[in-house]
Amino acid sequence: MDPIDDVLGWHRLDRRMLLVHPVREVVRFLPVLIGLLLFNRGTEGGYWGLIGVAIPVGLGLLRYVTTSYRLTSGRVEVRSGLLNKRVVSTPLDRVRTVDLTASPIHRALGLVTVRVGTGQSSEKGDGRLVLDGLSVAAAAQLRSRLLRVSAAPDDGTDDGIERATHRRIVLTLDLSWVRFAPLTSAGVVIAGAALGLVAQAFRTVEWAPTIDEHELQRLGVTVLVLGGLATVVVVLCVLAVVGYLVTNFGFVLSQTADDGSWHLRRGLFTTRETSLDDARVSGVSIGEPLSLRLAGGARLSAIVTGLGKKQQGSSVLVPPAPRREVDRVAAEVLRGGGPITVALVPHGSRAVRRRWTRSLVPAAAVAVAAALAAYYLSAWFVVVALVALGAGVVLAIDRARGLGHALVDGHLVARSGSLTRRREALATGSVIGWNLRSTWFQRRAGLADLVATTAGGRQHVRVLDLPEDDAVALAHAAHGGLLEPFLVL
């Protein structure tokens, strides 16, 4: 164990990684090793097999020897590589999140992997700050220094990552929430596929006033198809529940009393703990997919300043759970429930008309195609046409009801969507720019999208289809200092 101290020197990974790196390299080279064994079978070339094992073991040892890190008064640096030497360095004030993960082998050895989110990662991942692995005590001290929180004392045990004291428990996992697991976006796909297969199964039967032996055989095939479909749906639901439990088992969301930083711990086999600097949390995003919304559920993630798209897993605050729990946690993160409970301002009749147009035009196209198929192929396509039109109407109504915005308690609130509805609340102090965007169709309707640019989450919060004058007025009210030089008063 090599805990962090105040000496500005380089530190190596924990010595126990000497047991991990060589094994990983052997597994990575396993196809080559199997090929060598098969190629030299029945010959006296057994030494080639030993050489084949020695090479990955040596690479694993080199990975340990050539990886080191240090934490100075203003920067954190990680260097690695032998021939291609690479040093990744970032200022401490750029640290947004610190993730501690422990796979089963890491947990057995009392080790964790530290991933530092800085918002500077390149597309290829060359800028990632990853330390695999450190002892639990060293990782806790490093995280404390990076996020400027007080670390818990080492009690001499390595049975978990969570050690911090003076934390207020905000949310823990309720096992009854697994009912929401099949209702995520994957659940919608499953339901759509199920409906399609049901329709296809019924089409195999030609309904007539009299039923002969041939039709009875077709009916038996239909029953078998429906039974197999039901089995597939049940299996997929079970897999969704298992995946939910594996990912979120032991879920605990807590907040440090000293500085308000947020800490999340979850995972059954691979334990993951994420720490979010409260100063970097600029808002929340409530995901309301249609299936979850119908069941009274939602999920919550934080809008973290400087967190790239590939690091969004680090911003999860609440997995699919009852909406009341999501709203409660969101209110605590925002230090007030105003942005969550406020009635949203509608965008007017032109925006509603646009929702109807964008929903009914594709539905009408499908209905026309189905009507033609019904005329030339089978009357069953009439059902498809009616379903498409009905779905278009329902979707238009739901999208129109879901569209709205508000400006309350220093937060810009925007909601839109139906199948993947999202309600976002962003602190206006985190807005670094405003954009007005409009397509040719929007300009014809006198509408525009107001985009609040931020360095967090998906890099922006969009308010859809606002009247142009209202969009400018909203941006000016939210953050007038950015627009005053461009306004003619």
mmCIF file of all heavy atoms in Angstrom, residues 358-377:
data_model
loop_
_atom_site.group_PDB
_atom_site.id
_atom_site.type_symbol
_atom_site.label_atom_id
_atom_site.label_comp_id
_atom_site.label_asym_id
_atom_site.label_seq_id
_atom_site.Cartn_x
_atom_site.Cartn_y
_atom_site.Cartn_z
ATOM 1 N N ARG A 358 -45.817 17.058 -37.183
ATOM 2 C CA ARG A 358 -44.679 16.150 -37.166
ATOM 3 C C ARG A 358 -45.073 14.748 -36.718
ATOM 4 O O ARG A 358 -44.340 13.786 -36.966
ATOM 5 C CB ARG A 358 -43.572 16.701 -36.274
ATOM 6 C CG ARG A 358 -43.024 18.047 -36.744
ATOM 7 C CD ARG A 358 -41.855 18.490 -35.928
ATOM 8 N NE ARG A 358 -40.719 17.608 -36.109
ATOM 9 C CZ ARG A 358 -39.552 17.757 -35.483
ATOM 10 N NH1 ARG A 358 -39.383 18.759 -34.624
ATOM 11 N NH2 ARG A 358 -38.568 16.908 -35.695
ATOM 12 N N SER A 359 -46.206 14.611 -36.052
ATOM 13 C CA SER A 359 -46.655 13.288 -35.627
ATOM 14 C C SER A 359 -47.562 12.635 -36.657
ATOM 15 O O SER A 359 -47.488 11.423 -36.903
ATOM 16 C CB SER A 359 -47.388 13.378 -34.280
ATOM 17 O OG SER A 359 -46.527 13.843 -33.259
ATOM 18 N N LEU A 360 -48.428 13.440 -37.280
ATOM 19 C CA LEU A 360 -49.426 12.863 -38.178
ATOM 20 C C LEU A 360 -48.897 12.603 -39.581
ATOM 21 O O LEU A 360 -49.369 11.689 -40.256
ATOM 22 C CB LEU A 360 -50.647 13.782 -38.254
ATOM 23 C CG LEU A 360 -51.544 13.802 -37.014
ATOM 24 C CD1 LEU A 360 -52.742 14.701 -37.245
ATOM 25 C CD2 LEU A 360 -52.007 12.395 -36.653
ATOM 26 N N VAL A 361 -47.939 13.389 -40.058
ATOM 27 C CA VAL A 361 -47.432 13.170 -41.412
ATOM 28 C C VAL A 361 -46.802 11.781 -41.553
ATOM 29 O O VAL A 361 -47.141 11.028 -42.482
ATOM 30 C CB VAL A 361 -46.446 14.281 -41.809
ATOM 31 C CG1 VAL A 361 -45.691 13.912 -43.076
ATOM 32 C CG2 VAL A 361 -47.194 15.597 -42.012
ATOM 33 N N PRO A 362 -45.868 11.361 -40.665
ATOM 34 C CA PRO A 362 -45.348 9.985 -40.790
ATOM 35 C C PRO A 362 -46.431 8.931 -40.604
ATOM 36 O O PRO A 362 -46.439 7.904 -41.303
ATOM 37 C CB PRO A 362 -44.284 9.901 -39.683
ATOM 38 C CG PRO A 362 -43.929 11.316 -39.381
ATOM 39 C CD PRO A 362 -45.177 12.096 -39.583
ATOM 40 N N ALA A 363 -47.382 9.178 -39.660
ATOM 41 C CA ALA A 363 -48.454 8.206 -39.439
ATOM 42 C C ALA A 363 -49.331 8.091 -40.674
ATOM 43 O O ALA A 363 -49.753 6.983 -41.055
ATOM 44 C CB ALA A 363 -49.286 8.623 -38.225
ATOM 45 N N ALA A 364 -49.611 9.206 -41.323
ATOM 46 C CA ALA A 364 -50.429 9.169 -42.538
ATOM 47 C C ALA A 364 -49.714 8.429 -43.664
ATOM 48 O O ALA A 364 -50.346 7.695 -44.435
ATOM 49 C CB ALA A 364 -50.777 10.594 -42.975
ATOM 50 N N ALA A 365 -48.405 8.620 -43.767
ATOM 51 C CA ALA A 365 -47.648 7.904 -44.798
ATOM 52 C C ALA A 365 -47.732 6.401 -44.580
ATOM 53 O O ALA A 365 -47.931 5.623 -45.533
ATOM 54 C CB ALA A 365 -46.198 8.375 -44.788
ATOM 55 N N VAL A 366 -47.586 5.960 -43.335
ATOM 56 C CA VAL A 366 -47.703 4.536 -43.033
ATOM 57 C C VAL A 366 -49.116 4.042 -43.323
ATOM 58 O O VAL A 366 -49.320 2.938 -43.858
ATOM 59 C CB VAL A 366 -47.319 4.276 -41.565
ATOM 60 C CG1 VAL A 366 -47.587 2.816 -41.184
ATOM 61 C CG2 VAL A 366 -45.853 4.611 -41.319
ATOM 62 N N ALA A 367 -50.120 4.858 -42.973
ATOM 63 C CA ALA A 367 -51.511 4.455 -43.197
ATOM 64 C C ALA A 367 -51.809 4.304 -44.686
ATOM 65 O O ALA A 367 -52.514 3.361 -45.103
ATOM 66 C CB ALA A 367 -52.447 5.478 -42.565
ATOM 67 N N VAL A 368 -51.297 5.218 -45.510
ATOM 68 C CA VAL A 368 -51.514 5.113 -46.954
ATOM 69 C C VAL A 368 -50.864 3.847 -47.504
ATOM 70 O O VAL A 368 -51.466 3.115 -48.306
ATOM 71 C CB VAL A 368 -50.973 6.370 -47.655
ATOM 72 C CG1 VAL A 368 -50.956 6.168 -49.167
ATOM 73 C CG2 VAL A 368 -51.809 7.585 -47.295
ATOM 74 N N ALA A 369 -49.621 3.584 -47.097
ATOM 75 C CA ALA A 369 -48.946 2.370 -47.556
ATOM 76 C C ALA A 369 -49.698 1.119 -47.112
ATOM 77 O O ALA A 369 -49.844 0.147 -47.882
ATOM 78 C CB ALA A 369 -47.512 2.344 -47.028
ATOM 79 N N ALA A 370 -50.207 1.122 -45.881
ATOM 80 C CA ALA A 370 -50.964 -0.033 -45.395
ATOM 81 C C ALA A 370 -52.284 -0.183 -46.145
ATOM 82 O O ALA A 370 -52.736 -1.313 -46.417
ATOM 83 C CB ALA A 370 -51.224 0.112 -43.898
ATOM 84 N N ALA A 371 -52.922 0.939 -46.494
ATOM 85 C CA ALA A 371 -54.176 0.868 -47.250
ATOM 86 C C ALA A 371 -53.952 0.264 -48.632
ATOM 87 O O ALA A 371 -54.750 -0.551 -49.115
ATOM 88 C CB ALA A 371 -54.798 2.255 -47.362
ATOM 89 N N LEU A 372 -52.855 0.646 -49.266
ATOM 90 C CA LEU A 372 -52.536 0.063 -50.566
ATOM 91 C C LEU A 372 -52.262 -1.432 -50.440
ATOM 92 O O LEU A 372 -52.679 -2.242 -51.288
ATOM 93 C CB LEU A 372 -51.326 0.774 -51.171
ATOM 94 C CG LEU A 372 -51.548 2.242 -51.583
ATOM 95 C CD1 LEU A 372 -50.235 2.870 -52.045
ATOM 96 C CD2 LEU A 372 -52.609 2.330 -52.689
ATOM 97 N N ALA A 373 -51.533 -1.803 -49.377
ATOM 98 C CA ALA A 373 -51.276 -3.227 -49.158
ATOM 99 C C ALA A 373 -52.569 -3.982 -48.890
ATOM 100 O O ALA A 373 -52.732 -5.138 -49.314
ATOM 101 C CB ALA A 373 -50.307 -3.400 -47.994
ATOM 102 N N ALA A 374 -53.514 -3.353 -48.201
ATOM 103 C CA ALA A 374 -54.804 -3.995 -47.933
ATOM 104 C C ALA A 374 -55.594 -4.205 -49.215
ATOM 105 O O ALA A 374 -56.293 -5.218 -49.381
ATOM 106 C CB ALA A 374 -55.611 -3.149 -46.957
ATOM 107 N N TYR A 375 -55.476 -3.282 -50.131
ATOM 108 C CA TYR A 375 -56.214 -3.392 -51.403
ATOM 109 C C TYR A 375 -55.633 -4.483 -52.288
ATOM 110 O O TYR A 375 -56.369 -5.232 -52.944
ATOM 111 C CB TYR A 375 -56.184 -2.041 -52.118
ATOM 112 C CG TYR A 375 -56.925 -2.033 -53.428
ATOM 113 C CD1 TYR A 375 -58.317 -1.951 -53.454
ATOM 114 C CD2 TYR A 375 -56.233 -2.118 -54.635
ATOM 115 C CE1 TYR A 375 -59.005 -1.951 -54.663
ATOM 116 C CE2 TYR A 375 -56.906 -2.121 -55.854
ATOM 117 C CZ TYR A 375 -58.294 -2.038 -55.859
ATOM 118 O OH TYR A 375 -58.969 -2.042 -57.060
ATOM 119 N N TYR A 376 -54.298 -4.587 -52.311
ATOM 120 C CA TYR A 376 -53.656 -5.522 -53.226
ATOM 121 C C TYR A 376 -53.291 -6.865 -52.573
ATOM 122 O O TYR A 376 -53.163 -7.869 -53.290
ATOM 123 C CB TYR A 376 -52.385 -4.911 -53.812
ATOM 124 C CG TYR A 376 -52.650 -3.793 -54.786
ATOM 125 C CD1 TYR A 376 -52.464 -2.470 -54.408
ATOM 126 C CD2 TYR A 376 -53.094 -4.055 -56.078
ATOM 127 C CE1 TYR A 376 -52.716 -1.433 -55.291
ATOM 128 C CE2 TYR A 376 -53.347 -3.026 -56.969
ATOM 129 C CZ TYR A 376 -53.155 -1.707 -56.574
ATOM 130 O OH TYR A 376 -53.400 -0.687 -57.448
ATOM 131 N N LEU A 377 -53.089 -6.883 -51.244
ATOM 132 C CA LEU A 377 -52.582 -8.097 -50.609
ATOM 133 C C LEU A 377 -53.593 -8.716 -49.661
ATOM 134 O O LEU A 377 -54.146 -9.775 -49.939
ATOM 135 C CB LEU A 377 -51.271 -7.785 -49.866
ATOM 136 C CG LEU A 377 -50.107 -7.289 -50.721
ATOM 137 C CD1 LEU A 377 -48.903 -6.959 -49.839
ATOM 138 C CD2 LEU A 377 -49.725 -8.346 -51.763
#
